[in-house]
Amino acid sequence: MAVDSLEGVFAPERITATADGIPTVGVPLAELLETIERVRGELGYSRFVDLTAVDRLRREERFELVYLFYSMTQKAWLRVKTATDGEAPSLTPSVAGANWYEREVFDLFGISFEGHPDLRRIMLPDAWQGHPLRRTEPLGSEPVDFTVTRRVYGND
Amino acid sequence: MPSLLIYLTLAVLLVAALLLVTGRLSPRLPSAAKNRPYESGVSEPITTQTRWPVRFALLGMLFLIFDVETLFFYPWAVVLRDLGWGGILAVLSFFVVLGAGYVYARQRGALEWR
Amino acid sequence: MAISQTDTDTSNNSDGRSGAPGFILSRLEDWARESSLWPVTFGLACCAIEMMAMSASRFDVARFGSELFRASPRQADLMIVAGRVSQKMAPVLREVYDQMPEPKWVIAMGDCASCSGVFNNYALIQGVDKIVPVDVYVPGCPPTPDALLDSLIKLKEQVAANSSNRHGARTAAGVGIVHDGIARS
Amino acid sequence: MATTEDRRELLTVNMGPQHPSTHGVLRLELKLDGEVVVNCRPIIGYLHTGIEKTFEAKTYVQGVVLTDRMDYLNPLGNNLAFALSVEKLCGCEIPGRATVLRVILAELTRLSSHLMFIGSMALDLGASSPFLYCFREREKILDFFEGISGARMMTSFIRPGGLAHNVEQAMADRISAFVEAMPGFIDTYEELLTGNPIFKERTEGIGMLTADDALALAVTGPTLRGSGVALDMRKTNPYCGYEAYDFEVPTGRVGDCFDRYLVRVAEMRESVKLIRQALDRLPGGPVQTSDRKVMPPPREELAKSMEAVIHHFKLWTEGIRPAPGEAYVGIESPRGEIGFYVVSDGSGRPIRVHERAPSFANLQALPRMTEGGLVADVVACIASIDPIMGEVDR
């Protein structure tokens, strides 16, 4: 479904064209689940492909949740984006495939999905403090102890 | 008789040699980690003192019976020639009894796990 | 990062064998251990694929006696850390290492095990010698199977030298024969 | 399917991170009632390498090096996915020879990955000889990669804007000679396994996954095609000119472990056909785009023109600077739909790179397959999904 044919379904200012030609629909957080129902049901983008978050470092509504769906009939992707600060409704009750994706976003970004059956850390050890993929957190790299640095800067 | 004696002493000697060499060579350094059960690397062990389903005992017994049966094959194979028909019939009766038991167990689904 | 030096038990063989018979017995013992180092399957990431290629038919580690990759640490005396060690995997690696009987050796295969190479970030242990004493470091990402075989040969030379005095006393973390043969102090 | 009255004493077994048949550091917490698996809970994260965070500290060209290490059985496929996404962001065109070479390299990687699959699946189920046969062919493919790019596995050869350097015709001839012999080798694997009653006993009817369960769990690739859904990115959303090649998409009937195995073996034959067709139509010419914002100019041009020096300098200091925006191109890896969602803010470094890893979604289907089955069948189910923990944990 090309971007223009989405006009009839969504308000035009919400549809943005991206570099890869996948139609993208921006949705406020409150209408997220309802929009996804329409996207998966009525529009035919039934297959859940991917969920991730982008830390836009804005003052309010800092994180951007990016859902990706695929239509088996039209053989095309559709992206649903919403902005949130740390809370989001969980998709897992209706889409079983989103379970681990939401746990990963919770683990690495700290966005909690209420309604998720088993929201725990999935990647990092359970006792881990902080959410590394936030752009405010450092990469956590150690200074590498090359012999040349030791020779040049002395042994400290 | 001496051949049996030699055989037994050789066996004892071999076992003693093996135990002695490995015992002296391998260092003994017990540590807390080594005493813990090996749980594919996960350090907090899960108790294994739970009750086992009865099917395992059933399988154990069936295995024991047929293992003993195959144990008897070897001596019989050696003395088969001078056993004569009477002896062979006696041996066969043992197999017939066990065979019936096997067929019954299979009918009752003892070997099917699901 | 100061390298602490635990005292290596380099006195003569700790179980008191000395003199001609002791020498022959320990030579025999070293030869026996060195010719059949059984590695524990500790394949983590990409290096594990090259480790499997090493045990396949073309590079064939069986020629050096290490064909049997033991799954349980109880029957292994060599741990090849093949891959990157994450923070969540570190206690598991230490647990498996502790559960291996002495004498035991460790090969840090690849940059990720030696110094976490490409990934200098929060998620990885920067070099496995932070948690287990390492004997041979193998550079490469992933090292070719020949490089791994060469490191195995280097380890065998070290084992043949003094496998018996490896009773629990470990060389310091981070000290060991670097693959190019220079023993770093 | 936990039974209603759960009075039974369930034994919890850890098929832990260090286990010979979990294809890497996957940990399964199995609750057993005797031999029957009542509950299977995969625990992942033991190989979490923070690759997506490291991407944000690297430029686009440096990022290619990271993509090799995510799915380490499909390095060139990962490079291709990342390169396609970045090229969509920069909007640059790559020459015909590079596109066809990319198809050849991607299909060769698929062959080497499926060879590894057959070897490790047979090894998990106790047959050790197919492992040795498969690795014999896999070594030949790795020799090609070493000849082309210098590295056996981590080639970083497919980059945004084309390939690292050109591939001579002698190498293409050696590949076509190998491809002629490959169907014969696939027949030997089939003789070893497909007709083997023990192998069929261990895989037929085991780990059933229905089509709508698979679609609900976002499963893709051979694991989904084993359940009968013919979804292959090369057919449905062609990239790199796949629409011009003719090949079929094999699918399974029932969706058990044996079907998933058959789908992958049939896919290997399709890959061989694809490589043969690609070799026939391999055009000459350069393999790097002429767009100087993405690929540095060739050496000889540096001596002649000032712009080339400027382009060269800017590319090697700041790297590619795509316009602000985002891109996702889903392609077909040996494990399913893979794609890099790259978000750029116009600077030299991406602000977010997320890899849609097929094994991450496929592993979600593992509890559905194993619950109700025997413990020994868990091994067959893991092997039939063929997960790579490098891309699951990222």
Side-chain angles (χ1 to χ4, degrees), chain A residues 50-54 64-68 79-82, chain D residues 326 341:
Chain A
D50 187 19
L51 155 66
T52 186
V54 180
E64 189 180 68
L65 281 175
V66 182
Y67 293 82
L68 193 62
R79 192 178 284 130
V80 176
K81 291 172 98 172
T82 178
Chain D
E326 58 207 57
Y341 175 62

mmCIF file of all heavy atoms in Angstrom, chain A residues 50-54 64-68 79-82, chain D residues 326 341:
data_model
loop_
_atom_site.group_PDB
_atom_site.id
_atom_site.type_symbol
_atom_site.label_atom_id
_atom_site.label_comp_id
_atom_site.label_asym_id
_atom_site.label_seq_id
_atom_site.Cartn_x
_atom_site.Cartn_y
_atom_site.Cartn_z
ATOM 1 N N ASP A 50 8.797 -6.316 14.174
ATOM 2 C CA ASP A 50 9.892 -5.809 15.023
ATOM 3 C C ASP A 50 9.368 -4.698 15.923
ATOM 4 O O ASP A 50 8.410 -4.007 15.586
ATOM 5 C CB ASP A 50 10.983 -5.244 14.074
ATOM 6 C CG ASP A 50 12.220 -4.863 14.870
ATOM 7 O OD1 ASP A 50 12.347 -5.354 16.003
ATOM 8 O OD2 ASP A 50 13.022 -4.067 14.360
ATOM 9 N N LEU A 51 9.984 -4.589 17.091
ATOM 10 C CA LEU A 51 9.680 -3.449 17.984
ATOM 11 C C LEU A 51 10.996 -2.969 18.549
ATOM 12 O O LEU A 51 11.802 -3.778 19.029
ATOM 13 C CB LEU A 51 8.767 -3.900 19.125
ATOM 14 C CG LEU A 51 8.839 -3.056 20.412
ATOM 15 C CD1 LEU A 51 8.305 -1.649 20.149
ATOM 16 C CD2 LEU A 51 8.092 -3.704 21.536
ATOM 17 N N THR A 52 11.257 -1.684 18.468
ATOM 18 C CA THR A 52 12.453 -1.181 19.129
ATOM 19 C C THR A 52 12.174 0.241 19.577
ATOM 20 O O THR A 52 11.115 0.804 19.289
ATOM 21 C CB THR A 52 13.662 -1.209 18.176
ATOM 22 O OG1 THR A 52 14.807 -0.846 18.933
ATOM 23 C CG2 THR A 52 13.462 -0.254 17.030
ATOM 24 N N ALA A 53 13.146 0.820 20.277
ATOM 25 C CA ALA A 53 12.959 2.185 20.788
ATOM 26 C C ALA A 53 14.156 3.011 20.330
ATOM 27 O O ALA A 53 15.246 2.476 20.109
ATOM 28 C CB ALA A 53 12.887 2.159 22.303
ATOM 29 N N VAL A 54 13.928 4.322 20.165
ATOM 30 C CA VAL A 54 15.023 5.235 19.803
ATOM 31 C C VAL A 54 15.025 6.336 20.851
ATOM 32 O O VAL A 54 13.965 6.886 21.196
ATOM 33 C CB VAL A 54 14.795 5.840 18.387
ATOM 34 C CG1 VAL A 54 15.944 6.772 18.044
ATOM 35 C CG2 VAL A 54 14.669 4.738 17.357
ATOM 36 N N GLU A 64 11.149 7.042 21.519
ATOM 37 C CA GLU A 64 10.265 6.863 20.353
ATOM 38 C C GLU A 64 10.159 5.353 20.129
ATOM 39 O O GLU A 64 11.165 4.687 19.861
ATOM 40 C CB GLU A 64 10.909 7.538 19.147
ATOM 41 C CG GLU A 64 10.030 7.627 17.935
ATOM 42 C CD GLU A 64 10.789 8.313 16.797
ATOM 43 O OE1 GLU A 64 11.754 7.696 16.297
ATOM 44 O OE2 GLU A 64 10.449 9.449 16.465
ATOM 45 N N LEU A 65 8.954 4.807 20.318
ATOM 46 C CA LEU A 65 8.755 3.358 20.117
ATOM 47 C C LEU A 65 8.428 3.135 18.653
ATOM 48 O O LEU A 65 7.585 3.841 18.086
ATOM 49 C CB LEU A 65 7.592 2.873 20.983
ATOM 50 C CG LEU A 65 7.912 2.648 22.468
ATOM 51 C CD1 LEU A 65 6.655 2.281 23.218
ATOM 52 C CD2 LEU A 65 8.950 1.544 22.604
ATOM 53 N N VAL A 66 9.104 2.178 18.044
ATOM 54 C CA VAL A 66 8.928 1.944 16.606
ATOM 55 C C VAL A 66 8.432 0.511 16.406
ATOM 56 O O VAL A 66 9.138 -0.451 16.704
ATOM 57 C CB VAL A 66 10.271 2.129 15.856
ATOM 58 C CG1 VAL A 66 10.068 1.930 14.374
ATOM 59 C CG2 VAL A 66 10.852 3.499 16.152
ATOM 60 N N TYR A 67 7.186 0.364 15.984
ATOM 61 C CA TYR A 67 6.619 -0.960 15.697
ATOM 62 C C TYR A 67 6.684 -1.169 14.184
ATOM 63 O O TYR A 67 6.455 -0.240 13.407
ATOM 64 C CB TYR A 67 5.157 -1.041 16.154
ATOM 65 C CG TYR A 67 4.975 -0.964 17.655
ATOM 66 C CD1 TYR A 67 4.975 0.259 18.312
ATOM 67 C CD2 TYR A 67 4.802 -2.114 18.422
ATOM 68 C CE1 TYR A 67 4.813 0.334 19.684
ATOM 69 C CE2 TYR A 67 4.652 -2.051 19.799
ATOM 70 C CZ TYR A 67 4.646 -0.821 20.429
ATOM 71 O OH TYR A 67 4.498 -0.751 21.782
ATOM 72 N N LEU A 68 6.970 -2.409 13.757
ATOM 73 C CA LEU A 68 7.060 -2.695 12.315
ATOM 74 C C LEU A 68 6.144 -3.882 12.027
ATOM 75 O O LEU A 68 6.236 -4.918 12.706
ATOM 76 C CB LEU A 68 8.506 -3.051 11.948
ATOM 77 C CG LEU A 68 8.844 -3.079 10.453
ATOM 78 C CD1 LEU A 68 8.640 -1.698 9.841
ATOM 79 C CD2 LEU A 68 10.295 -3.507 10.260
ATOM 80 N N ARG A 79 5.154 0.976 9.318
ATOM 81 C CA ARG A 79 5.813 1.310 10.595
ATOM 82 C C ARG A 79 4.863 2.186 11.399
ATOM 83 O O ARG A 79 4.284 3.145 10.863
ATOM 84 C CB ARG A 79 7.115 2.065 10.299
ATOM 85 C CG ARG A 79 8.031 2.207 11.495
ATOM 86 C CD ARG A 79 9.300 2.915 11.104
ATOM 87 N NE ARG A 79 10.215 2.063 10.363
ATOM 88 C CZ ARG A 79 10.774 2.436 9.198
ATOM 89 N NH1 ARG A 79 10.460 3.593 8.656
ATOM 90 N NH2 ARG A 79 11.615 1.631 8.575
ATOM 91 N N VAL A 80 4.677 1.863 12.670
ATOM 92 C CA VAL A 80 3.842 2.680 13.571
ATOM 93 C C VAL A 80 4.772 3.236 14.637
ATOM 94 O O VAL A 80 5.501 2.475 15.296
ATOM 95 C CB VAL A 80 2.727 1.813 14.213
ATOM 96 C CG1 VAL A 80 1.942 2.643 15.208
ATOM 97 C CG2 VAL A 80 1.834 1.223 13.146
ATOM 98 N N LYS A 81 4.784 4.571 14.774
ATOM 99 C CA LYS A 81 5.704 5.165 15.753
ATOM 100 C C LYS A 81 4.892 5.913 16.804
ATOM 101 O O LYS A 81 3.845 6.486 16.507
ATOM 102 C CB LYS A 81 6.634 6.176 15.048
ATOM 103 C CG LYS A 81 7.614 5.496 14.117
ATOM 104 C CD LYS A 81 8.363 6.548 13.313
ATOM 105 C CE LYS A 81 9.714 6.830 13.931
ATOM 106 N NZ LYS A 81 10.515 7.714 13.050
ATOM 107 N N THR A 82 5.383 5.891 18.030
ATOM 108 C CA THR A 82 4.726 6.661 19.089
ATOM 109 C C THR A 82 5.813 7.186 20.009
ATOM 110 O O THR A 82 6.927 6.650 20.017
ATOM 111 C CB THR A 82 3.738 5.751 19.861
ATOM 112 O OG1 THR A 82 3.156 6.525 20.891
ATOM 113 C CG2 THR A 82 4.466 4.573 20.481
ATOM 114 N N GLU D 326 15.646 7.588 8.624
ATOM 115 C CA GLU D 326 15.797 6.206 9.099
ATOM 116 C C GLU D 326 15.526 5.288 7.918
ATOM 117 O O GLU D 326 14.912 5.674 6.935
ATOM 118 C CB GLU D 326 14.777 5.933 10.199
ATOM 119 C CG GLU D 326 13.338 6.166 9.715
ATOM 120 C CD GLU D 326 12.414 6.554 10.844
ATOM 121 O OE1 GLU D 326 12.717 7.547 11.503
ATOM 122 O OE2 GLU D 326 11.429 5.853 11.047
ATOM 123 N N TYR D 341 17.675 -1.487 11.236
ATOM 124 C CA TYR D 341 16.910 -0.245 11.303
ATOM 125 C C TYR D 341 17.902 0.836 11.707
ATOM 126 O O TYR D 341 18.329 0.899 12.878
ATOM 127 C CB TYR D 341 15.789 -0.406 12.333
ATOM 128 C CG TYR D 341 15.003 0.846 12.595
ATOM 129 C CD1 TYR D 341 14.278 1.466 11.576
ATOM 130 C CD2 TYR D 341 14.979 1.431 13.856
ATOM 131 C CE1 TYR D 341 13.562 2.623 11.806
ATOM 132 C CE2 TYR D 341 14.265 2.574 14.103
ATOM 133 C CZ TYR D 341 13.555 3.169 13.073
ATOM 134 O OH TYR D 341 12.844 4.320 13.314
#
